[in-house]
Amino acid sequence: MSILIDRSSKVLVQGITGRQGGFHAKLMMEYGTDVVGGVTPGKGGEWFEGKPVFDTMRKAVETTNADVSLVTVPARFAADAMMEAADAGVRLVICLTEHIPVSDMMRVVRYCAQKGTRLIGPNCPGVMTPGQAKVGIIPAMVAVPGNVGVVSKSGTLTYEVGFAMKNAGIGNSTIVGIGGDPVIGTTFVEVLEMFENDPETEKVALLGEIGGSAEIVAAEYIKNAMTKPVAAFIAGRSAPPGKRMGHAGAIVDGGEGSAEEKIQALEAAGARVAANPEEIPGLLS
Amino acid sequence: MKLHEYQSKFLFRDFGIPIPEGVVATTADEVQQIAAELGGVVVIKAQVHVGGRGKAGGVKVAKNAEDARACAEEILGMDIKGLRVEKVLVDPGADIEREIYLAITNDRGAGRPLIMTSMDGGMDIEALNRERPDAITREHIDPILGLQGFQVTYIASAMGMPRALWRQFGSILRGLYRCYIQSDAELAEINPLVITGEGNLLAVDGKVIIDDNALFRQPELTAERDASDELESERQAREAGITYIKLDGQIGCMVNGAGLAMTTMDMTKLYGDTDGIGPANFLDIGGGATPEQVATALRIILSDSNVKCVLFNIFGGITRCDEVANGILTAYNEVKPDVPMVIRLQGTNAPAGNRIISEARIPNIMSAETLTDAAKMAVAAVKEGA
């Protein structure tokens, strides 16, 4: 078991003929992900590594029965691509694209909710169920199968922690990068709930950062509804207020969203919070 | 991207929101002339991207044109929190009966636009929110449907807007919502929106922040960018596609990925704080970490004279650490930094990368295995050099 994706997931890549999309589609296939095709408007009928390319998501889903789509198209087309995927009826849309305007994302998140489509991202590294499938750019070498679920706002920090776990002999059920943007499709709480209900997951690592209040809401959920132990790390303790730290969402604004308040809330909820991400494996064993 | 008050208000005017008929000036002569043309009392307001300009003396009321000139001479060239005042807005004085707050912002948690308004405007909205949250009327907008008529009525009614002003207020609220959507604003704020002695509404001060990610489709607003509050090093980084923010510590950090970059900063503070040592910057070099990018980033980091050590923390996923190691050596030979560098490469081909670094035998370069070691070594290097 796992959450969101497994070896039976049939995956389409929107933007498969692009440089990024093609590169990562190949790595996903090498990992064992069942990539059933791709979509690039105007390139329907072509082939990519033996997989069909379609002009539209509707045609692609009709033909392949795909249930997952990975969006790799540039920011100005990404909102449309996500809504096209939701309209075509896939169960899960994962969007890697960064720099998408917030007003676009507000409409997309609402649209996906109306269509009953789960959206992960944008601006995220994707999802990996080690040993089964990966949809996104999480490197294969950072994780092995196991029973710790990981949910994170960040990319390389996730690899760092996954890799530290692997070196400590700890494996992962599923790793979910939810993205660091202000408005995202799936929040910490929703992923925690999936892990709580997943029999394969025994413990959870949560990697958050400054900005917004998603970690505070997650702490509430941990306190009220989680039975599985949670270890956490919050990046940005040393970040000054009012400065945006790379991620569009990572900003301490008007005293809200600081690392201290998040760490306090998580500790009060019973999570074990590391001051150093390399301590996470120790907190989980 | 922040807009100045005058840019914000002129934008509001394009959406039918009444504003004072002010004019922007850069010299005291211009201010005097504008004040003479406007006649009567004028307000001279510094146009700088910092809060609290009123308290700093950047806003003055003048009785006549001569007085306006004197005020302008004081304000123009003044230093407000490190920024020089180059422009002032000269507004006709308004007859203020009451001050109202009205703003539309992105509610990131809810994923929807949020309208916030209060009959008790003029003051700092965050303070009002802390002290009397009930004095603020809040309404979320469906991002697909947009602002609906019933919501306008609800807001006017719930906030206690006098009935006689509902029509005017509704027109301003709809205009502000259109402005917020069409300008891709993160924030469109009128504070205060005043009720004048004649019983009209007037947007006396305004603030608009545009979503940087939407600037590609806002060419007119992009052309209005005033980057005078941006440091030269930050501008260079922005143009090179590197995210760099200067801080005030001694350890220059070069990292791939925003979350890991913040984490690396945190580690230098975790192990250095007791000795007053911490991060000199946030720097996310992005995915590639090519020799050219590493060299550019290194130059930017070293342009800060506080930097006493440079810490590289690269997690190679798709990026291979041996390639990054070669990139670092190329950059080193080009930039020739005179401060020690601690290099920590982890992930894909890390052993090969570390071998390349150690075989180069550069006395100034140290290699670290874990992030913890790297941070401790960087702190120690700063202490030794002090």
Side-chain angles (χ1 to χ4, degrees):
Chain A
M1 277 290 288
S2 56
I3 65 167
L4 296 165
I5 59 165
D6 58 28
R7 61 170 59 84
S8 71
S9 304
K10 291 179 183 296
V11 182
L12 288 166
V13 177
Q14 290 175 263
I16 200 165
T17 57
R19 203 168 52 88
Q20 287 283 327
F23 179 73
H24 291 291
K26 243 170 153 174
L27 289 176
M28 282 158 54
M29 286 153 83
E30 281 168 21
Y31 194 74
T33 310
D34 188 9
V35 175
V36 295
V39 171
T40 301
K43 299 214 169 161
E46 292 182 14
W47 296 83
F48 175 87
E49 299 286 316
K51 306 293 176 190
V53 178
F54 302 90
D55 282 323
T56 66
M57 277 298 289
R58 278 193 203 173
K59 183 77 182 162
V61 171
E62 253 171 47
T63 313
T64 64
N65 274 322
D67 63 333
V68 178
S69 186
L70 177 70
V71 175
T72 68
V73 306
R76 61 182 71 192
F77 311 113
D80 191 64
M82 286 182 269
M83 291 192 281
E84 188 189 4
D87 172 73
V90 296
R91 167 181 65 85
L92 174 66
V93 177
I94 298 173
C95 181
L96 306 182
T97 311
E98 59 178 339
H99 301 311
I100 301 175
V102 173
S103 60
D104 288 4
M105 279 319 302
M106 291 196 289
R107 282 184 294 112
V108 171
V109 167
R110 186 99 181 110
Y111 185 77
C112 287
Q114 287 172 359
K115 288 280 172 181
T117 304
R118 175 161 297 287
L119 171 67
I120 304 271
N123 191 13
C124 79
V127 180
M128 173 153 94
T129 293
Q132 298 196 42
K134 67 165 194 152
V135 180
I137 60 172
I138 300 174
M141 52 94 57
V142 303
V144 290
N147 56 29
V148 175
V150 178
V151 58
S152 172
K153 269 187 181 175
S154 135
T156 44
L157 176 60
T158 312
Y159 312 163
E160 180 87 58
V161 172
F163 196 62
M165 285 189 210
K166 179 177 151 184
N167 288 339
I170 299 171
N172 303 116
S173 51
T174 301
I175 298 174
V176 185
I178 59 173
D181 272 7
V183 175
I184 53 176
T186 297
T187 62
F188 277 126
V189 169
E190 291 168 281
V191 180
L192 288 176
E193 197 170 6
M194 289 181 236
F195 280 138
E196 176 68 15
N197 295 325
D198 173 38
E200 195 87 338
T201 302
E202 288 175 14
K203 296 171 184 174
V204 177
L206 180 150
L207 309 177
E209 63 189 31
I210 53 165
S213 58
E215 292 83 353
I216 306 277
V217 182
E220 277 297 298
Y221 177 79
I222 291 167
K223 192 158 120 190
N224 298 329
M226 269 195 94
T227 60
K228 299 178 182 177
V230 178
F233 175 75
I234 302 293
R237 268 187 215 229
S238 59
K243 295 275 185 184
R244 195 165 292 196
M245 294 288 149
H247 285 158
I251 181 167
V252 180
D253 235 349
E256 276 189 16
S258 73
E260 285 69 31
E261 82 178 312
K262 294 182 179 195
I263 290 166
Q264 273 175 20
L266 286 162
E267 279 178 342
R272 304 175 77 179
V273 184
N276 174 335
E278 289 175 334
E279 291 167 1
I280 291 231
L283 296 182
L284 289 165
S285 52
Chain B
M1 183 185 92
K2 284 185 213 158
L3 296 186
H4 282 301
E5 176 197 357
Y6 77 91
Q7 294 165 325
S8 305
K9 278 161 43 179
F10 294 173
L11 185 64
F12 293 161
R13 185 172 54 197
D14 293 343
F15 290 90
I17 297 170
I19 62 164
E21 288 167 15
V23 181
V24 177
T26 54
T27 66
D29 283 345
E30 283 171 22
V31 171
Q32 185 175 7
Q33 197 190 337
I34 294 161
E37 281 163 20
L38 290 171
V41 174
V42 294
V43 187
I44 295 140
K45 305 167 98 176
Q47 302 295 297
V48 279
H49 286 311
V50 287
R53 62 181 176 165
K55 278 191 193 131
V59 178
K60 290 189 193 297
V61 180
K63 287 192 245 13
N64 53 46
E66 287 70 39
D67 194 12
R69 182 190 181 87
C71 291
E73 277 166 354
E74 278 180 57
I75 296 175
L76 282 164
M78 171 191 254
D79 185 283
I80 302 181
K81 296 181 188 170
L83 290 178
R84 199 183 136 85
V85 180
E86 307 280 1
K87 270 183 198 163
V88 291
L89 174 64
V90 186
D91 263 355
D95 173 14
I96 297 172
E97 197 95 312
R98 180 142 198 192
E99 296 190 320
I100 297 161
Y101 178 88
L102 176 62
I104 308 176
T105 185
N106 300 333
D107 182 344
R108 50 192 291 171
R112 295 174 187 222
L114 173 65
I115 294 177
M116 288 195 292
T117 183
S118 174
M119 291 304 287
D120 298 325
M123 72 183 290
D124 173 17
I125 190 67
E126 276 151 16
L128 182 62
N129 189 36
R130 266 194 310 276
E131 287 154 29
R132 289 186 299 123
D134 292 346
I136 302 172
T137 299
R138 296 172 179 80
E139 178 76 352
H140 280 107
I141 307 303
D142 185 314
I144 294 178
L145 291 176
L147 176 65
Q148 299 299 301
F150 71 88
Q151 294 180 299
V152 175
T153 313
Y154 164 76
I155 291 165
S157 155
M159 72 187 289
M161 176 65 63
R163 282 221 173 94
L165 290 170
W166 279 16
R167 184 182 289 273
Q168 270 192 57
F169 179 74
S171 154
I172 289 172
L173 181 52
R174 286 171 205 275
L176 192 65
Y177 190 77
R178 279 202 316 278
C179 171
Y180 159 86
I181 292 292
Q182 289 178 27
S183 314
D184 278 303
E186 290 177 1
L187 173 73
E189 179 186 80
I190 306 175
N191 189 26
L193 174 67
V194 308
I195 303 179
T196 64
E198 302 91 59
N200 288 317
L201 290 171
L202 188 67
V204 165
D205 199 350
K207 183 174 171 186
V208 173
I209 303 175
I210 308 294
D211 181 353
D212 289 332
N213 286 340
L215 291 177
F216 72 88
R217 60 188 179 203
Q218 299 291 348
E220 286 172 21
L221 291 171
T222 307
E224 297 213 31
R225 178 193 287 271
D226 171 6
S228 59
D229 60 335
E230 189 179 48
L231 296 171
E232 174 60 17
S233 52
E234 294 181 355
R235 187 189 59 78
Q236 280 174 12
R238 180 164 56 80
E239 284 170 4
I242 294 165
T243 317
Y244 170 85
I245 295 154
K246 191 191 165 323
L247 303 169
D248 45 18
Q250 306 84 349
I251 300 176
C253 301
M254 190 183 311
V255 188
N256 63 333
L260 192 57
M262 275 189 276
T263 304
T264 306
M265 285 163 38
D266 294 349
M267 291 305 101
T268 63
K269 196 170 181 195
L270 180 65
Y271 297 112
D273 204 24
T274 50
D275 296 302
I277 295 169
N281 62 273
F282 169 95
L283 190 147
D284 174 7
I285 190 147
T290 60
E292 299 76 47
Q293 250 179 319
V294 174
T296 307
L298 195 53
R299 271 190 221 105
I300 289 167
I301 289 174
L302 293 170
S303 71
D304 173 1
S305 60
N306 286 340
V307 171
K308 300 291 178 269
C309 175
V310 179
L311 169 56
F312 286 79
N313 183 27
I314 305 289
F315 194 99
I318 308 306
T319 319
R320 289 166 40 187
C321 288
D322 48 344
E323 286 175 2
V324 176
N326 284 323
I328 292 173
L329 292 182
T330 310
Y332 176 87
N333 288 324
E334 228 182 289
V335 182
K336 291 275 181 229
D338 54 4
V339 297
M341 308 209 299
V342 176
I343 296 173
R344 189 257 179 167
L345 302 170
Q346 191 53 278
T348 308
N349 291 7
N354 286 318
R355 204 174 318 120
I356 290 168
I357 299 292
S358 60
E359 281 170 4
R361 293 184 193 285
I362 299 172
N364 242 0
I365 295 187
M366 293 165 275
S367 188
E369 183 143 340
T370 65
L371 174 53
T372 310
D373 289 347
K376 286 180 177 168
M377 283 161 75
V379 168
V382 173
K383 273 203 263 183
E384 267 169 41

